[in-house]
Each structure stands twice: as structure tokens, then as C-alpha cells.
Amino acid sequence: MMKEHKHLLALDVGTRKVTGILLEQTENGYTVCAAETMEHRTRAMLDGQIHDIPKVAEVVSEVRRSLEEKTECKIHSAAVAAAGRSLCTYRGSSQIPLFSSQRITKESVLRLEYAAVHQAQQRLLSGPAGRARFAEQYNCVGYSVVHYELDGSAIGNPVGQRGSTVSCEVIATFLPRVVVDSLRGVLEMAGLKLQTLTLEPIAALRMVVPESMRRLNVALVDIGAGTSDIAITRDGTIVAYDMVPVAGDEISEALTEQLLLDFMTAEDVKRKLNKKGQVAYKNILGEKVTQPAAELRSVAKPAVEMLVEKISRAILNNNGGAPQAVFCVGGGSLTPELTDALAEKLAMDSARVAIKGKEMLDLLPNKSKKYQGPELVTPLGIAHTAISGDALRFYRVEVNKQPVDVMDLGCSRVSDALLAAGIGSRELVGPPGKGLSVEVNGQVTVIAGDMGEMAEIRVNGETVSLEAQIEEGDRITFVAAKAGEDARANVASLLARTTPFSVTVNGTQHRLQPPVFRGQERLTPETELGDRDKVRVLKTMPLSWVLEELGMTESFAGGSIQVTVNQKEKQIPFGPRVLRINGKPAVPQSDVSDGDVLEITDDGTYPTVSTLTEHRPRTIEISVNEKITTFPVKEVNYTLNGRKVPGETPLSNGDRVDIQVIDHNITLADILHIINFETNPPAGRNTLMLRVNGREAEFTTQLKHGDRLEVGWSA
């Protein structure tokens, strides 16, 4: 009976061969238990693509059974890789308007990002890969934000900020649905589950060009049977992927044509080209031929040169020139003279174009020569990627009753599942309402429509947001989003945002609505405007219009007003008032523009509260010990509509005025009180001296204007 072990099967499903490496988990990490390579019996794969799932699954099953027999382990799942040519990356961007009074929410940012991913989808659809409906052709397996901008300036995180507009740019990554589906189909038919998925050039890079080397400009070329995958590093990251649809099979086919061999025989001859001496084979005529390996290398040389030409052109196109080094892996890299020819095409030192195998890394213990060759770099890289947790892990959910494979990011969200299902942002994020453009005095003003509503989303029957996390087996349903309301505007709202008109009258600012015309039609503030309307707004108005709008016309013309004075009604006539615009005298026909300052003053005839009585406040001056002091002898107090005011306050029709007149008789005693005379005599002086105009006086002596008062203590 087979044992249950913690193990990992790394499976490299290539065009010509299937290689499986089984690793067992130990206390010190993973150890290579066994490896197995088997060839396809037919050409079930072409250029890295699975064309016959049952035939490929048959070989995978044999590799699995062989590894199980060697190790007595039961294998349930496998880590696999897709060709680098399958990966598509597109940039997308989006921008949404904001209400300046509201802070940006996480939901708004997610809506922004989703719209940017949708634009990237549209670019994919309009490109060479977009030959079918997105949901049927490609999966979005993730995206990353390049940057956000708030009101045109870069910002790290817009959540919680305020502004007018926010935008973002993303890089979205897509894989053809057939890649995952065909690999999953092969594995399922072979009794295996898809454990992880990575890209072949990423797997090879992990083995040959670790992150510590990626600041160098290095090109990795994984030459298989049907394809040559290329990855380029620079400045610490992977900057390009590419694929050349030629590889080892082209050399086999050249031998087939020149030597009259069947394809499998040509494959065997190709593997012996590096030998010294003679190579024996049988052609399709049944002839047994023995030929020097050197002659056979000459036969294969044109095909090698063609392969090298295409690989070098792809490297130069993606890198903009020759890299610092080229590492070749894969079984095709063992082709005689290939690295020298590639170095010559790239104008590089031949020492900088090298074949690499596992011998350069310390990834796994128990090294053995049988695991050293370049053909094992990719399967070992698949294993390393799966062990490190950097591979793409997929699980299945249901989106509107349709099964969908979602990349497991450890915290996958509803939005990831919907993207994988090919649901466009317009279905999930309601588009904004149509905007309204109005031409005002030749300048176009755009009024945005309302933002659309998000779709109603449920996971397992519970309403959630796009940010909600999901798990394998979740059932996701959604109701399509609603579009936002179209923009609407009337004359009043348009003027409020486009053409202000205000004047300042005696220090107080007044905002007015200037006349608006559509053609010859004068519009009211309530008139609704249509898209592309052309309106004319008067920028200058006569003073008479301004006074009428402010309700001041009658107040500044000659006439009379009726007021109540001490509970008695009086009719008070007055003449016109004086008006200036920006300091200059004005008449009713004078022009007034936005921002003008109006000053209205009295010419002396307009009634004020003081004109209602002949009484005026009066004071007298008295010399006290040769110091002139002023004393009030009459007060006039004015109360206008219940509030005390100065006498120069203008009157208005209907005002109520109360006037109080108070007379004062000033005596010598009042003076002593007012000047705070010291009543306690100083030491040695006890006689009070009071004189007015040089004569002795009493406390009751009344004083008049101009009197001279002497006050003091004597011995």
C-alpha cells in the first residue's frame, strides 16, 4: 500500500516532453525524491499549446504512475507552468469627478480602480488578442496601481482626501482562459488537481536569475521544443516577456527534410549531434546510414541560424540593445554551436552567453548530476516557485451560476472573481449620467451628470461590497448597476457657477443675476437649459437696473416719507441723494459691472433723525484752577425703532423715533463732584477756598460758559 507523504509534484508539460520532479517535505525543507521524463507519442502539443488533451493527459498519467512507483507515494496534485507568451499586460486609467465637500471613500477608490481595469480590458479587446468576447477568451488574474492623482497632483493614497477630481493608472495582467482550462483538463484527466500555476519564464528566472541579480540587464532564453520563451531583467525587476514560436522542433524538422527521416528518428539524431565520431540512423526508405556527427551538425546549421536570428531579434526589440548577459536553459539550449551563434548575432562576448543548469543554485539539498542539466531548470523553477508561495493559486467560485477560476491572492475579493468572470465595469459600476455643455458668452461650461450606483452584490445570499473577501465554493450573484442621472441646469444654477455679478453698496456686498438671453429670448432664473445651448449674459447693466434689483429706486429719488416722532406722525420731504460708482459721480444711465463699488451719500436734504427737532446737544467751558474743562448742559437722545442711534442716522418711511431732551444747570457743587475734588483737607490746611471769577462763592452758585473757578484748601 502506498504511503501518504507531504510532497510536491512539479510538472513541466512541454511541446515534446513531460518532465515531473517529485519533492518530499522534510524538517530541513524539500528534498528531490525522483524525476521522470517521458515524450509525447504524437505531436499532441504544438508551439507550447495543448492541442490534444487526452493524449497529453496519457503521458502525464504515466509520469505520475512512474513517480508513485519509485517513491511509494500517492500523488494528488501538481504545480504547473504556462508559456510566457500567454501573459498579457495592459495599462488602463480612469478619472472621476468629486464633490469638494465630501471625503474620498475606499468604495470610491475601488470604483476608480475597477474602471481603470475595464479600460485595460478594452485595450486588450481592441488588440490582436481580442478575437472573442473577453469572458470567453481571457481571465484577469490581477492588477496593480501605478499611481493615483488628486486634482492633477500625484498622491499616495486618496482615501480621506478632498478635491475636484481623482484619477489612477493600473497595470492589469491577463491570461487566456484556454491556458488554465487546458492545463486543468489535462490534470483532471490524469487524476490530479491544479495546485499552483506560474509562468515558464518566471520559473526559469527564479532558478537562473535570482532577485539579487536582477539589477543587471540579463536575458533568459528558455528553448524548448516548440517555443523559445524570453524574459529580460533590468533595474531590479522583470521588464519584458516574449515568445519566439520556433525552437528545437525546427532543427528536428530540418533533419527530417534533409535526411529523409520520420520526426521521432530526427529527434533521436538531434540529441546525438554533440557526440564525437559516427551517428547511425535509418531513413524512411529503410536504409541504414552511418554519418559523422560533424556532417550532421552542418545539415542542422541553417535551422540553428534561423532560430538564433529570431531569438536575437526578439531580445534586441524588447531590450533596445544587447543585454549584459544571456542565460540559455531548456533542452534546446544544448543544440551544438547555438550559444556561439547567438553571441555573434548580439555582438557580445561568447563568454557572456551561457547555458545554465541547477548547478549554480543551492535551492534544494541532495544534489545529483541527474538533476543538473538545463532541461530541468524550468521544472525545478516550478517547484521553487510553488514552495516560496509566489505561484498563482486558483480556486473555483460561482458567479451568477457560472463556474469561475479565481487566482488565490490570500485575500481575494469579490471584485477579483467578477473580473475573472469577464464582467465589465459598466455592469458593476453604473456609468455617470450624461453631462451638459452650455456655451456662455463664447466659453463652454460642462456640468457633469450624477455618479452611477454600484451593482447590488451578494455572496451566499448576503449583501456585500466589492471589497468583501471570498473563499472557494462561494456563490456570487449581482444585480446590474444603475446609471447616474443626467445633468440638469437652469439659468440660476448656471450663473452661480459660471458668471457671478456682485456690487458693493455702502460697504455691503450684493449678488445679482444679470439678464440672460438665448438668441433674442430673455430667460428667467428658472428656465431649464438644454445641451449645447448658447446663451449671452450681459456683463454691464445701467445703474437704474441695479437700483431696481436691489429695491432702492424709491429710496434715492426725491419725495417724502412718513415717520412717527414721540408718538406723533409727521410727513418729511427730501430731495435726491448723491450716488458714485468707483468714486465717480453717476446718473441712472451709468454702466455698472461685476465688482463695482457704489457709494450713496446725502446731499444735505435727505432727512436724518436730527432733522426732527431743533434741539441740539450743548456744552460750556469753565476754567478750573486755570485748566479748561468742558461740561454738558443739554443732551439730545434719539431712539429709532427701539434702538439708540446717532443724530446723523438716515430715516426711512414708517420709522418710529423717540427724542429725549435733557437740560442741566451746572453749580459749583456739580463741578467739585465731576472733578473728584479731595474733601479731606491736608495737614496744616483746613480752610476751604471757593472763588468764581475772583469772588467768594457758595456750593449752590450756578456757573456759566467762560467762568473762572478757583478751588482749594488754605491754612
Side-chain angles (χ1 to χ4, degrees):
M1 182 170 179
M2 290 188 179
K3 303 173 185 178
E4 291 290 341
H5 289 281
K6 292 183 178 179
H7 60 272
L8 170 70
L9 172 61
L11 202 61
D12 182 13
V13 183
T15 302
R16 177 69 15 230
K17 301 175 183 177
V18 175
T19 298
I21 296 180
L22 187 66
L23 301 97
E24 181 180 3
Q25 188 175 14
T26 66
E27 293 181 357
N28 298 323
Y30 280 84
T31 301
V32 176
C33 299
E36 184 66 74
T37 298
M38 293 187 179
E39 293 190 12
H40 298 291
R41 296 181 182 82
T42 63
R43 303 193 73 177
M45 292 183 64
L46 295 173
D47 295 339
Q49 176 62 50
I50 298 172
H51 284 260
D52 191 330
I53 289 178
K55 293 292 185 183
V56 176
E58 185 179 335
V59 178
V60 171
S61 296
E62 292 180 9
V63 170
R64 173 195 175 187
R65 283 194 295 270
S66 174
L67 292 172
E68 287 180 337
E69 291 172 0
K70 289 179 180 179
T71 60
E72 295 186 352
C73 291
K74 185 65 176 175
I75 303 174
H76 301 284
S77 60
V80 296
R85 67 189 175 93
S86 305
L87 183 69
C88 294
T89 57
Y90 283 85
R91 292 197 176 208
S93 60
S94 66
Q95 176 176 300
I96 59 174
L98 301 170
F99 296 103
S100 58
S101 60
Q102 297 180 351
R103 295 191 183 276
I104 303 172
T105 63
K106 288 184 179 180
E107 190 77 11
S108 298
V109 173
L110 191 58
R111 177 188 305 183
L112 178 73
E113 294 172 3
Y114 204 97
V117 172
H118 178 68
Q119 188 192 64
Q121 291 177 357
Q122 297 305 311
R123 290 184 176 179
L124 174 65
L125 284 170
S126 62
R131 299 190 184 95
R133 184 174 177 267
F134 180 84
E136 298 169 355
Q137 188 81 355
Y138 278 84
N139 276 337
C140 177
V141 295
Y143 70 91
S144 59
V145 177
V146 178
H147 67 267
Y148 299 102
E149 286 189 358
L150 183 65
D151 293 339
S153 298
I155 191 168
N157 183 0
V159 174
Q161 303 281 352
R162 288 191 178 106
S164 300
T165 59
V166 62
S167 61
C168 79
E169 183 178 10
V170 302
I171 296 179
T173 306
F174 307 95
L175 274 177
R177 181 178 292 271
V178 67
V179 171
V180 179
D181 285 349
S182 60
L183 280 172
R184 186 187 291 276
V186 166
L187 294 178
E188 289 178 352
M189 196 169 287
L192 296 168
K193 290 183 179 180
L194 175 61
Q195 183 173 343
T196 65
L197 173 68
T198 188
L199 299 170
E200 289 178 1
I202 290 178
L205 267 175
R206 181 174 288 276
M207 298 297 295
V208 179
V209 189
E211 291 187 7
S212 60
M213 294 174 56
R214 292 182 188 176
R215 295 203 65 81
L216 300 175
N217 185 199
V218 177
L220 172 76
V221 185
D222 184 358
I223 305 172
T227 63
S228 298
D229 290 323
I230 298 168
I232 298 174
T233 66
R234 185 172 59 242
D235 299 329
T237 188
I238 302 169
V239 296
Y241 294 108
D242 203 352
M243 184 276 301
V244 176
V246 291
D249 280 357
E250 271 62 35
I251 298 169
S252 299
E253 288 172 356
L255 294 173
T256 296
E257 294 178 4
Q258 296 297 320
L259 304 178
L260 298 179
L261 307 175
D262 62 64
F263 188 81
M264 300 309 295
T265 302
E267 278 282 295
D268 182 63
V269 171
K270 181 179 68 175
R271 295 189 187 105
K272 298 176 181 177
L273 292 179
N274 278 321
K275 290 185 176 182
K276 295 180 181 180
Q278 303 291 318
V279 176
Y281 58 88
K282 182 186 290 186
N283 62 26
I284 60 174
L285 301 176
E287 299 173 336
K288 294 182 178 180
V289 180
T290 301
Q291 197 170 354
E295 290 183 8
L296 294 175
R297 288 195 290 270
S298 297
V299 173
K301 188 173 182 179
V304 174
E305 290 179 346
M306 180 271 293
L307 173 60
V308 166
E309 170 67 26
K310 292 191 176 183
I311 291 174
S312 61
R313 187 183 306 142
I315 292 174
L316 294 173
N317 288 342
N318 284 279
N319 196 53
Q324 292 173 282
V326 178
F327 294 151
C328 299
V329 298
S333 65
L334 297 173
T335 302
E337 302 175 1
L338 184 143
T339 56
D340 290 339
L342 185 57
E344 183 179 349
K345 284 289 183 182
L346 294 172
M348 295 175 61
D349 187 337
S350 59
R352 294 200 170 194
V353 180
I355 298 173
K356 290 294 180 180
K358 173 183 170 286
E359 69 278 2
M360 65 178 293
L361 291 178
D362 294 322
L363 170 65
L364 300 168
N366 297 342
K367 296 179 184 178
S368 172
K369 289 184 179 180
K370 63 182 177 180
Y371 303 134
Q372 303 294 328
E375 68 276 10
L376 294 179
V377 167
T378 296
L380 284 172
I382 294 171
H384 190 192
T385 305
I387 292 168
S388 64
D390 291 339
L392 306 179
R393 299 175 184 271
F394 288 85
Y395 59 82
R396 183 156 287 186
V397 297
E398 187 179 278
V399 177
N400 282 3
K401 299 183 179 181
Q402 295 297 319
V404 173
D405 291 316
V406 179
M407 186 175 70
D408 184 3
L409 299 174
C411 56
S412 296
R413 303 169 299 180
V414 170
S415 58
D416 298 318
L418 299 178
L419 282 172
I423 295 171
S425 64
R426 290 186 179 276
E427 298 176 72
L428 293 168
V429 182
K434 293 180 180 178
L436 185 68
S437 64
V438 180
E439 185 178 307
V440 182
N441 293 346
Q443 298 293 322
V444 176
T445 296
V446 178
I447 302 169
D450 292 340
M451 294 301 300
E453 296 181 12
M454 299 289 289
E456 183 181 343
I457 305 168
R458 291 186 176 89
V459 175
N460 302 326
E462 182 180 350
T463 301
V464 298
S465 69
L466 286 171
E467 292 182 298
Q469 294 188 8
I470 56 175
E471 298 177 349
E472 184 170 7
D474 279 348
R475 301 184 312 279
I476 303 171
T477 58
F478 73 95
V479 178
K482 295 181 181 178
E485 294 289 334
D486 293 344
R488 296 183 61 187
N490 57 21
V491 170
S493 63
L494 176 70
L495 295 180
R497 70 165 64 207
T498 60
T499 311
F501 188 90
S502 64
V503 294
T504 301
V505 182
N506 286 359
T508 302
Q509 189 179 47
H510 300 271
R511 189 179 183 91
L512 303 176
Q513 288 189 341
V516 180
F517 293 87
R518 183 168 51 195
Q520 299 301 315
E521 176 192 6
R522 180 170 178 175
L523 308 180
T524 67
E526 295 76 24
T527 302
E528 289 284 332
L529 296 170
D531 189 34
R532 300 186 181 181
D533 269 353
K534 296 181 179 181
V535 299
R536 178 168 51 91
V537 181
L538 298 187
K539 293 186 175 182
T540 60
M541 269 67 67
L543 175 60
S544 58
W545 179 86
V546 174
L547 295 177
E548 183 178 353
E549 289 293 307
L550 295 175
M552 296 181 177
T553 301
E554 294 183 0
S555 299
F556 301 108
S560 65
I561 57 175
Q562 184 171 320
V563 298
T564 301
V565 182
N566 291 344
Q567 299 182 356
K568 293 183 179 180
E569 292 186 356
K570 286 189 176 183
Q571 197 79 15
I572 311 298
F574 64 90
R577 305 177 83 177
V578 177
L579 200 149
R580 291 180 176 84
I581 300 175
N582 301 327
K584 297 180 179 180
V587 296
Q589 292 76 31
S590 298
D591 287 336
V592 180
S593 301
D594 176 48
D596 280 353
V597 176
L598 279 61
E599 183 183 6
I600 301 170
T601 59
D602 186 13
D603 65 351
T605 65
Y606 191 83
T608 62
V609 292
S610 64
T611 61
L612 301 176
T613 179
E614 295 178 356
H615 295 285
R616 295 291 181 268
R618 189 166 65 87
T619 60
I620 61 174
E621 291 182 352
I622 296 174
S623 173
V624 181
N625 293 338
E626 297 184 355
K627 182 179 180 180
I628 301 298
T629 304
T630 301
F631 300 97
V633 294
K634 178 177 282 191
E635 293 182 48
V636 182
N637 297 323
Y638 306 100
T639 302
L640 176 64
N641 300 324
R643 182 171 57 91
K644 287 187 176 182
V645 296
E648 62 271 17
T649 303
L651 291 169
S652 297
N653 191 51
D655 280 347
R656 292 176 290 101
V657 182
D658 290 308
I659 303 173
Q660 183 184 28
V661 180
I662 303 173
D663 291 316
H664 299 285
N665 291 321
I666 304 298
T667 65
L668 194 148
D670 295 327
I671 295 297
L672 294 178
H673 176 72
I674 293 172
I675 66 174
N676 295 320
F677 178 71
E678 181 59 54
T679 58
N680 294 321
R685 296 185 182 185
N686 53 13
T687 302
L688 178 63
M689 180 184 66
L690 297 174
R691 292 190 182 94
V692 176
N693 298 325
R695 296 179 181 182
E696 297 292 333
E698 303 290 337
F699 284 115
T700 57
T701 301
Q702 290 193 356
L703 301 176
K704 62 183 182 301
H705 180 72
D707 283 347
R708 291 177 290 104
L709 175 63
E710 296 175 73
V711 181
W713 293 96
S714 63

